[in-house]
Amino acid sequence: MTGGRGPSTGRDGSPRLLREINDRAAIDALLRDGPLTRAELEDVIGLSKPATASLLARLEAEDMVRRGELRGGNRGPRAQTWSVNGALAHVAGVSVTPHDVDVVIADLTGTTCAEHRAAMPSGDTDVVLPAFAEAMTAAARKVGLGAGELRHVVVGAQGAVDPATGHLGFAPHLPGWEGFDVPGRLGELLGTEVTVENDVNLVALVEMSGGRAQEVRDFVLVWLGDGIGSAVVINRVLLRGATGGAGEIDWMYVPDRAHRDTGSDRAGDRFGTLLSPRSVLELARAHGFTAGSAPEAVREAAEAPAGEPFLTDLARRIATGLAGVVSVVDPELVLLSAEIAQAGGPVLAEKVETELHRLVVPRTPVHPALITGNPVRAGALRVALGVARHRVFGLPITTAGVLPTSGR
């Protein structure tokens, strides 16, 4: 919030400090609950009628809030509603994959203003970064802005950003994105502050805010898509590790416990290889399912009694990799996300739980993640909004953990 609102009478009891506390409480309520009347805001923040009216007048004069529609019934005068001025800032949430960049731009209230998707070329850094910048410029142009006018940009990417160097590691799926300070370079390229976060961590944040983990303190989320990853949350905070690599389970070597032989190294193979779309499809075909893709095969198996042996074999592979994580962390919950998990739904999750309990002491429940669509982009947008609201209104950043950010 802006300063200069009158004299202070003391560090803890100054009129300015109290005003700022009340103003932030009002802004937070309007962001959380949407447009409110003065009386409704009064009830939420606990101020008197004159104090609330004065607060709204002050915030309106500073362009922090705006008047909305009148609200009321058939009896009595209709009441004025108030809402946060979303045009004060715009932010972007971005999902980057080897194939495309998917951007959503929202105003400060979280209202979506534009979406843009563009193909990502393959090549070295000098090829992929200009393509990324071009996609961001095109997305910002849809709302009449330059990329540098975005208040904050959060990019979700496969791999882990080392908080000490900003380098993206564990990212063989993203050629051209390794070997440099990714947040810093993108910040210079776009002319604004950029945060780069692991894609699966962003999915975990979305599940914490609006999914199955809203009331869960300790959980593990596993991404079963094009690339295998996990996010570990302890006491509502993401576990990052010394180099940002916590949860990078793709590279673990585990035995293949599937009963049907598909030519894998039974003694040990990379977890990500055993659960790659190609390997899952090979396992499905070994069980007689001839769908054109791994998610299609899993979906067909989940809907047919004959699919039980295939799903059990797939669950054995998933549970084998999960066992070490669950044994160490002892989480309240395991969530399965991404295409294969969505295709298998509760049927696959139940089988993973059964197989997991054969391997570990904790009786951890396993469920499909609730948030579908593009949870990486949704998580990136949520983090971007949190940072921008902190910058503009002084609201606390509620996302779990410190994120690698460019220093602009």
Side-chain angles (χ1 to χ4, degrees), residues 13-36:
S14 70
R16 187 173 70 182
L17 176 62
L18 294 176
R19 281 199 301 268
E20 289 183 353
I21 291 172
N22 291 333
D23 290 355
R24 289 170 184 167
I27 291 292
D28 186 52
L30 291 170
L31 287 170
R32 182 182 64 248
D33 301 329
L36 297 173

Side-chain angles (χ1 to χ4, degrees), residues 310-371:
F310 162 49
L311 290 184
T312 299
D313 263 357
L314 179 59
R316 290 188 181 104
R317 285 184 174 178
I318 297 170
T320 304
L322 270 176
V325 179
V326 170
S327 293
V328 172
V329 175
D330 187 17
E332 298 172 54
L333 177 67
V334 169
L335 293 175
L336 307 180
S337 187
E339 296 90 346
I340 290 174
Q342 292 169 17
V347 176
L348 177 60
E350 182 179 345
K351 291 186 177 300
V352 172
E353 180 178 303
T354 298
E355 294 301 321
L356 180 64
H357 292 176
R358 298 182 194 278
L359 302 175
V360 299
V361 172
R363 304 290 91 181
T364 310
V366 179
H367 294 288
L370 187 62
I371 307 300

Side-chain angles (χ1 to χ4, degrees), residues 119-270:
M120 280 295 291
S122 59
D124 59 19
T125 303
D126 292 336
V127 173
V128 297
L129 291 192
F132 175 84
E134 183 179 342
M136 292 301 304
T137 299
R141 191 182 298 125
K142 289 184 176 182
V143 293
L145 299 173
E149 295 177 274
L150 296 171
R151 190 59 182 258
H152 199 80
V153 176
V154 175
V155 180
Q158 298 174 4
V161 177
D162 188 324
T165 66
H167 289 204
L168 188 66
F170 310 100
H173 306 292
L174 285 175
W177 289 87
E178 296 182 281
F180 59 92
D181 175 4
V182 180
R185 184 78 170 271
L186 294 183
E188 294 173 358
L189 197 62
L190 300 181
T192 191
E193 189 179 61
V194 177
T195 293
V196 179
E197 176 59 285
N198 173 264
D199 52 357
V200 187
N201 283 349
L202 292 173
V203 179
L205 291 176
V206 172
E207 287 292 329
M208 290 170 66
S209 62
R212 295 195 192 278
Q214 291 182 71
E215 305 298 328
V216 179
R217 301 201 67 80
D218 305 322
F219 71 97
V220 173
L221 183 139
V222 181
W223 183 264
L224 301 174
D226 187 6
I228 305 301
S230 72
V232 179
V233 174
I234 303 297
N235 200 26
R236 303 290 289 177
V237 176
L238 283 166
L239 179 66
R240 298 190 175 279
T243 63
E248 290 294 339
I249 58 176
D250 188 293
W251 292 86
M252 291 192 313
Y253 271 71
V254 297
D256 183 5
R257 295 178 53 251
H259 288 181
R260 192 65 57 92
D261 188 4
T262 59
S264 65
D265 187 339
R266 312 291 287 183
D269 208 338
R270 211 182 85 198

